[in-house]
Amino acid sequence: MSTTTVRRLAALAAAILVTLASLAGVPARAAEASVLRIAIVAQIDTLNPFKTALLSSINVNRMQFESLVESGLQNEPVGGFADRWETSPDGRTWTFTVPDGRVWSDGQPATADDAAWTLNQIMTKPELATANGTLVANVASAVARDPRTLVITTKAPQAANPGIDIPIVPRHVWENRDAAHYLDDVTEPVVGSGPFVVTKLDKGQSLELAANPRFWRGAPRAAGLRWVWYKNMDAAVQGLRTGEIDLVSGLTNAQFDALSGVPGVTTSAGAGRRYIGLTANPGMASSANQPMGNGNPALRDPAVRRAVFLAIDNATIVERVLGGRAKPGVTQIPTVYPAYFGLPAGASPRTFDPDEAGRLLDAAGYRRGADGVRVDKASGRPLTLRLLGRNSSPDLARIGEYVRSWLERVGVRTTVQIVSDAKTDQDSAVGNYDLLLTGWAVGPDPDFQLSINQCSSRPNTDGSGRLSEVGFCDAEFDRLFAAQHAELDAAHRADLVKRAFGRLYDANVLDVLYYPDQLEAYRSDRWNDFQRQPTGTGPITGQNSYWGLYSATPRDAAGAEGTPGASAAPGAGPASDAVSGASIAGILVTVALAGGAIYLVRRRRSADERE
């Protein structure tokens, strides 16, 4: 080869290297652009799926640990860790099939043994039963017949699918660690089976998840998820406006309206699966009937609790605080699950009636003093109730003030204490409150939500093992729970469910104020194709499964739409990132070939010179 040819090849290689250097930041920028950044103002208690209690933590774990059975786009049971299941005619034997070829994110096989091990840990170790112990209370055994087949045998017939809502963990990882405390703090990438896995947790700063390329439905379109902490929702809204983040959920009505029409931002109001309620401490007691907490003794009287609830105008809360973007509350089952929604036939709902509230308080012996404030008949001091709520939701502070004003009209003095999530959990767990603003996200099957109101679900005296929301204990409720749990006829079961919730309703320990729409906003100039649950009417986040974030599709740098979302074809990867990666890979190959050619030319020229 001539000297001229060598020089030309060298010049070509140099030009390629310059081009490569100029594009060196492209993969990083492309990867960063396809990381969906989500605002969070709530706390993460733990990512240990055996113990998670806060919805924020549960929502993260939905991304990385599948249950045997997931909730589909219409909240129907669909395949998850298992792809099919069958039930014996007597409702006592459930057989799940884990498909061949499924793997964990580290490449290890995912088998029925992982599921059996997970369930048996919950069944045999109380410290691992905090989150899902009630879901296995009726399970007699969980056995892996072979790597593909899991058999769950129940003690009594069971209507609810035992494969729903229990995250399955990899045995080969967890059995070698302290399972009771693993993932309280993340010190290594998490191994999971879902579309994303946690890689880093810096509490109070950020939580990072990477796409799982081995996910059986196909890798997500987003390269990852990043939850970014903000001190409050106003700061998160500003972060969305400036482009620091891509998605905000849990907006107040005012914030939602303020973001409507902002360039590059789309707002979304989806029918939610949550309820917000007010609980009245009936005299908290432990599972062993030991008194707990310092709740006001006046609330042990059901008539006083009913008076409190009659004094509250739920319709005004829906209109003035939420701008009508909510449904009026009845029981713990929201309207998105119509089969179980509402009171049993013949029941009379509570209505806003401050006059009746006053008559009940008079009859209970709490008379108004000269200043209009009712006098506690036991202490002789003004009847005062403490209302506790979380500061992570701005709406709760406004609701608290409405409640305070309404109760004062009927002569009950109220102090509103809106504090941190941690403080709220700490005080409410041991019964140190009078009234509590609370909320739950409810799944499609009512079994779990009913189960937390059993006598057996009350906490230990130190608040540990807590599942019960209000320390409720009623023998007839427990009987109805057991009956619906075993009832295989769908219509009869629905009636039993409503009767059980009606029992709780009539006890006046929980007033479900409303079912809020999920108010969200996202950078539509960067992302599209979020799959809703239910399709078309539901929210993006806070779903019963992972569809909303799994389907999120990044737009390319020019603002054009990317590949269609997972709703059209679940599992396809992000095309724009693949192209960028392929382009850089091609340059690298070219450089390698060019470098090799120069090296060969030089060797040959040296040999020619020696000759």
Side-chain angles (χ1 to χ4, degrees):
M1 187 176 292
S2 68
T3 301
T4 301
T5 302
V6 171
R7 288 174 177 170
R8 286 175 178 172
L9 284 169
L12 175 62
I16 292 171
L17 288 171
V18 169
T19 302
L20 180 59
S22 69
L23 293 175
V26 170
R29 290 197 301 271
E32 180 65 21
S34 60
V35 171
L36 180 65
R37 300 163 300 174
I38 310 163
I40 181 172
V41 296
Q43 296 178 354
I44 295 289
D45 53 351
T46 175
L47 293 180
N48 184 320
F50 293 107
K51 302 190 301 179
T52 46
L54 297 181
L55 181 60
S56 52
S57 308
I58 293 171
N59 285 338
V60 172
N61 274 342
R62 287 190 192 280
M63 300 298 116
Q64 60 181 357
F65 297 116
E66 280 200 299
S67 298
L68 286 163
V69 179
E70 290 289 328
S71 295
L73 298 180
Q74 304 306 319
N75 285 308
E76 78 283 12
V78 298
F81 194 86
D83 68 339
R84 57 186 193 276
W85 54 92
E86 58 185 27
T87 315
S88 62
D90 65 359
R92 293 189 58 188
T93 303
W94 295 72
T95 304
F96 298 85
T97 301
V98 179
D100 191 25
R102 292 281 178 88
V103 295
W104 295 98
S105 58
D106 63 356
Q108 293 296 308
T111 70
D113 184 61
D114 294 303
W117 186 86
T118 300
L119 293 171
N120 279 290
Q121 295 302 296
I122 301 171
M123 292 161 57
T124 60
K125 298 180 179 179
E127 67 272 21
L128 300 182
T130 302
N132 298 305
T134 61
L135 295 179
V136 298
N138 188 43
V139 175
S141 65
V143 178
R145 183 186 297 166
D146 56 55
R148 308 267 67 87
T149 309
L150 173 73
V151 179
I152 296 178
T153 304
T154 60
K155 301 170 187 175
Q158 178 166 322
N161 191 316
I164 292 178
D165 281 340
I166 300 179
I168 304 302
V169 302
R171 177 176 182 173
H172 69 278
V173 173
W174 284 76
E175 68 179 349
N176 298 319
R177 290 166 170 79
D178 177 5
H181 297 98
Y182 184 46
L183 297 189
D184 285 348
D185 293 296
V186 177
T187 58
E188 60 187 7
V190 176
V191 177
S193 60
F196 299 92
V197 288
V198 171
T199 57
K200 182 181 178 182
L201 170 60
D202 186 357
K203 289 185 178 180
Q205 297 296 321
S206 66
L207 170 66
E208 299 184 12
L209 285 76
N212 176 11
R214 295 187 171 99
F215 183 47
W216 66 274
R217 294 187 191 275
R221 288 165 169 76
L225 308 174
R226 179 182 300 139
W227 273 271
V228 181
W229 264 276
Y230 287 87
K231 291 183 178 180
N232 53 59
M233 191 56 71
D234 285 334
V237 168
Q238 184 60 22
L240 184 75
R241 284 179 174 273
T242 60
E244 293 175 354
I245 50 173
D246 305 306
L247 174 63
V248 176
S249 184
L251 297 168
T252 65
N253 186 60
Q255 291 163 343
F256 185 87
D257 286 339
L259 286 170
S260 299
V262 172
V265 172
T266 294
T267 54
S268 170
R273 64 185 185 95
R274 297 170 56 239
Y275 72 80
I276 300 298
L278 181 72
T279 67
N281 189 339
M284 180 78 82
S286 72
S287 55
N289 286 320
Q290 297 168 297
M292 295 175 60
N294 57 14
N296 192 315
L299 291 174
R300 296 175 190 171
D301 184 344
V304 174
R305 299 197 299 268
R306 178 172 176 81
V308 168
F309 293 163
L310 289 173
I312 296 170
D313 187 356
N314 296 357
T316 293
I317 291 176
V318 169
E319 289 303 319
R320 295 189 182 178
V321 177
L322 304 167
R325 296 186 177 109
K327 310 295 188 298
V330 185
T331 72
Q332 292 172 302
I333 298 297
T335 56
V336 292
Y337 308 127
Y340 304 110
F341 169 73
L343 293 169
S348 299
R350 284 188 300 266
T351 58
F352 175 53
D353 192 343
D355 292 337
E356 177 63 14
R359 286 191 289 269
L360 286 171
L361 291 169
D362 287 340
Y366 297 92
R367 299 284 181 173
R368 289 182 184 266
D371 59 358
V373 178
R374 295 184 183 273
V375 177
D376 190 311
K377 63 183 180 182
S379 67
R381 293 190 293 269
L383 178 60
T384 303
L385 301 178
R386 300 159 298 161
L387 190 156
L388 182 66
R390 304 175 187 276
N391 64 9
S392 58
S393 173
D395 285 340
L396 296 188
R398 293 189 63 196
I399 292 169
E401 287 305 313
Y402 273 106
V403 170
R404 181 192 58 76
S405 66
W406 286 322
L407 290 182
E408 289 190 354
R409 289 179 190 175
V410 298
V412 178
R413 184 173 291 170
T414 307
T415 61
V416 179
Q417 303 170 351
I418 303 298
V419 298
S420 70
D421 290 7
K423 177 65 173 173
T424 304
D425 288 338
Q426 176 184 336
D427 287 347
S428 61
V430 295
N432 287 340
Y433 69 94
D434 299 325
L435 303 174
L436 172 68
L437 285 167
T438 185
W440 278 76
V442 182
D445 192 285
D447 203 66
F448 176 78
Q449 204 64 36
L450 282 169
S451 73
I452 63 175
N453 295 295
Q454 297 177 94
C455 295
S456 59
S457 296
R458 291 176 297 171
N460 302 317
T461 53
D462 63 356
S464 64
R466 179 198 185 199
L467 283 172
S468 176
E469 188 166 35
V470 292
F472 180 68
C473 180
D474 176 71
E476 177 61 13
F477 176 92
D478 282 6
R479 187 193 69 79
L480 289 167
F481 168 78
Q484 69 80 32
H485 185 79
E487 181 54 60
L488 303 182
D489 179 84
H492 190 199
R493 185 187 180 212
D495 177 63
L496 290 168
V497 167
K498 291 180 181 180
R499 287 168 59 192
F501 278 122
R503 189 77 181 177
L504 179 65
Y505 186 91
D506 290 340
N508 292 291
V509 294
L510 171 65
D511 183 21
V512 175
L513 303 175
Y514 58 88
Y515 313 112
D517 289 347
Q518 186 85 347
L519 303 185
E520 302 169 302
Y522 63 93
R523 296 295 312 197
S524 50
D525 54 354
R526 295 177 180 173
W527 296 87
N528 66 338
D529 291 327
F530 293 101
Q531 176 63 61
R532 315 304 175 100
Q533 185 195 47
T535 300
T537 61
I540 296 170
T541 65
Q543 299 179 354
N544 288 308
S545 193
Y546 40 65
W547 305 107
L549 301 184
Y550 171 55
S551 62
T553 303
R555 297 177 182 271
D556 63 24
E561 292 189 6
T563 311
S567 58
S576 59
D577 288 351
V579 172
S580 298
S583 301
I584 299 301
I587 294 172
L588 289 171
V589 170
T590 303
V591 170
L593 291 174
I598 294 171
Y599 177 68
L600 288 174
V601 168
R602 286 178 175 169
R603 284 193 59 193
R604 288 172 182 167
R605 184 160 181 80
S606 298
D608 290 345
E609 286 177 346
R610 282 197 301 271
E611 293 178 352

